[in-house]
Amino acid sequence: MWRPRFALPVSMLAALASALALLGRYGTQGFALSIFLGLALPQFSAAARPLLPITIFCFTTVVFMRADLGVIAGLVRRPAKLVLTCLWLLFVPALLIAATLLLLGREALDPGLLLGIAIMGAAPPIMSSPAVAILYGFEPSLIIAGVIVTTIASPLIAPFLVDWLAGAAVPLDRMALALRLVMFIGGGMVVAFAIRRWLGPERIRALKPNLDGFGVLMYFIFAIAAMDGVTRAALEQPGQVALFLAVAFLVSAIGLASAWLALRRFPRSERFMIGYGTGQRNMGLLVAALGAGVPPTTFLYFALAQFPIYLLPWLLRGIAARLRRREAPADAG
């Protein structure tokens, strides 16, 4: 019986789509598992490290591709909440870190750790924040718009915030960093809108499970690349690794708590996700833009800062479920 030559490729694509959809259905578990798989595969970490910029570019492209421009336009027509959200996500993390550095003194910190903390404070929210909101069953429009606006603004703002937070202890070429961020973000936007024009919004919405799975896959590759040197550091310098981990989780906790306590006029789910974005920062965007100029201790802090990013979607799922149940009667009423 004659079979068309393209039957096998189509079946392979169908199998890939099914596999991605399966990954997407287990998103929070996939995020948590990825970080430990990255640690378990140190032999691949050094080889995968050059893929970091590619995964960051993919995250940026997918977020812009999935953005509901109609919803964002509606938020822009009533801009007060969006403006407050963006100002919070852009500047409050930097202010919280600046206050902490003022208390501790920059000279008390290793310069590599100082630069890592400065990158965390200056970076926009993690690109997976909207995906986490969707996985939790929250209305994602505000966090999607906030991530998009703050990411677009980051080439103008992030270099100055890094320089301000790190101070004279860490020399930084602000212009070079800004240009590289423009290339990452601008290139991602161009590719995203080209795909939107090709597929159309309806087709993109239908591909949601596959895109969720693609995000988990990218996070797995990102985790392997980011874990370069972490296992060795944990064996050789366990005290430093423990300190860096504690700082990363502390920043995440303070970010979540600050938004939850301060933004009481926002619905619970929205301030929860704003707090999530306050504590979970897209350090990879700035690390990828800095390239080979990242000191080893800064890269180690960046790698360890991925643990709250990967684990909190799973650890916070019970709290998110309770928030969703509390908001459901109000929505029904």
Side-chain angles (χ1 to χ4, degrees), residues 100-121:
T100 304
L101 292 175
L102 187 63
L103 289 173
L104 296 177
R106 289 184 177 87
E107 64 281 354
L109 299 178
D110 176 273
L113 174 60
L114 177 60
L115 179 58
I117 295 172
I119 288 173
M120 177 175 272

Side-chain angles (χ1 to χ4, degrees), residues 140-159:
S141 303
L142 183 63
I143 191 65
I144 288 175
V147 167
I148 287 174
V149 173
T150 54
T151 301
I152 292 173
S154 63
L156 297 175
I157 296 172

Side-chain angles (χ1 to χ4, degrees), residues 51 62 88 106 122 142 145 171 201 283:
L51 298 177
V62 170
W88 181 282
R106 289 184 177 87
L142 183 63
M283 294 179 67

Side-chain angles (χ1 to χ4, degrees), residues 249-333:
F249 274 99
L250 183 63
V251 171
S252 298
I254 291 173
L256 183 59
S258 63
W260 182 260
L261 295 172
L263 302 176
R264 291 189 172 274
R265 293 189 177 183
F266 283 58
R268 288 186 180 94
S269 60
E270 288 184 347
R271 59 184 161 127
F272 181 85
M273 289 312 304
I274 293 170
Y276 182 89
T278 304
Q280 309 299 317
R281 313 300 289 177
N282 190 4
M283 294 179 67
L285 184 64
L286 272 68
V287 168
L290 286 168
V294 179
T297 49
T298 301
F299 191 87
L300 178 61
Y301 179 74
F302 154 71
L304 294 169
Q306 304 310 304
F307 278 82
I309 290 173
Y310 278 76
L311 295 178
L312 285 182
W314 179 69
L315 293 174
L316 296 174
R317 69 195 191 285
I319 297 173
R322 286 196 292 273
L323 292 177
R324 189 173 63 248
R325 287 195 295 268
R326 288 181 183 179
E327 286 194 342
D331 293 340

